[in-house]
Amino acid sequence: MPDRRPIGFFDSGVGGLTVLREVLRRLPAESTVYLGDNARAPYGPRSDEEVIRFSSECLDELAARDVKAIVVACNTASAVALADLRRRYDVPILGVVRPGASAAVLTTRTRRVGVIATQATVRSHAYFQAIKDEDPFVEVYEHATPDLVPMVERGVIDGPEAETAVRRSLAPLLGERDGDGDSVFPLPASATIDTLLLGCTHYPLLAPLIAEVAGPRIAVIDSATATASALAHLLEVNGLATPAGSEASHTQLTTGDLAAFGRTAERLFGSLFASIGPIAVAGAA
Ligand code: DGL
């Protein structure tokens, strides 16, 4: 029995649209409801308790809209709150950490993977754990890069300011020890990563610049693309897929200021954002 109900997407703000963007490319027949908790973003510097509480409130809002599955597009919420969220709801819930970790394990040849993410994601070691679960012999170097989210939100994704910030943020993972990096697992001078996993919703928007700074020997991959594939699989195994060719509808919700959400989303996603439907204010926050 095909299921035409929408898929819910949750993020702390607009960044999760990078995940929605990949899902729309991969599953164009699926309808979606996207909720950004802009009123309380960013989640990256918050405590685990806050991330769990806010995420639960937002998922209550999505669950009330009769969604057939939920994607926790926010890396921080996936890393910190996924287990709690799965206990609360009886719809299938997909996070972005496991799909991203699997893609990293399939990509690395030297078995050395770097992960950049928010402070809360790095503190949780969720990526470390997920990669080790797939292959205990992969070395994982997690590094918090908190400067990048606010910069992307301002629409700065290329040019000198972005390049300086990306170089400074990646320096510890590229073996340049004189940056201000606070790597949880400092990279030994002899080791070099061959795969860099972008473990934050905003970083795919910086991917061309990050790839340039990282150089041709490092594969740059992101959780958004991997999550779209995992979602296709989830819908298939649960018999939840909408038939190909169906007309999809899309709704966007924010707990924050409507106009500010629209401006940021449009600045970052341009025509895609304009094409994906009305915005309404959600009551979660
Ligand atoms: N959505 C968050 C994530 O992917 C980044 C923004 C934030 O800190 O809230 O981790």
Side-chain angles (χ1 to χ4, degrees), residues 11-12 41-45 73-76 118 121 149 199-202:
D11 182 46
S12 55
Y43 281 12
C74 179
N75 289 255
T76 305
T118 66
T121 300
V149 166
C200 174
T201 46
H202 290 58

Side-chain angles (χ1 to χ4, degrees), residues 94-121:
L94 181 67
V96 290
V97 170
R98 294 250 158 209
S102 299
V105 170
L106 291 174
T107 304
T108 184
R109 294 287 172 272
T110 62
R111 293 211 174 84
R112 292 196 191 99
V113 172
V115 182
I116 54 172
T118 66
Q119 304 96 307
T121 300

Side-chain angles (χ1 to χ4, degrees), residues 87-192:
R87 272 199 295 276
R88 277 172 74 97
Y89 309 95
D90 60 5
V91 290
I93 300 182
L94 181 67
V96 290
V97 170
R98 294 250 158 209
S102 299
V105 170
L106 291 174
T107 304
T108 184
R109 294 287 172 272
T110 62
R111 293 211 174 84
R112 292 196 191 99
V113 172
V115 182
I116 54 172
T118 66
Q119 304 96 307
T121 300
V122 167
R123 190 175 65 228
S124 76
H125 300 311
Y127 273 107
F128 177 87
Q129 199 53 56
I131 291 172
K132 289 288 187 188
D133 285 350
E134 292 254 343
D135 183 344
F137 296 105
V138 173
E139 291 167 27
V140 187
Y141 303 98
E142 296 169 293
H143 181 56
T145 46
D147 297 348
L148 302 183
V149 166
M151 184 183 79
V152 170
E153 294 261 335
R154 285 190 285 114
V156 178
I157 57 173
D158 50 24
E161 182 188 346
E163 188 178 332
T164 303
V166 166
R167 281 193 188 285
R168 198 177 49 234
S169 296
L170 295 190
L173 285 176
L174 301 180
E176 297 159 23
R177 307 303 310 166
D178 51 357
D180 63 352
D182 52 352
S183 304
V184 179
F185 301 102
L187 195 63
S190 58
T192 46

Side-chain angles (χ1 to χ4, degrees), residues 22-23 26-27 94 99 223-235:
E22 295 308 322
V23 169
R26 171 92 200 221
L27 300 166
L94 181 67
S223 294
T225 315
T227 299
S229 303
L231 178 62
H233 184 64
L234 179 153
L235 296 178

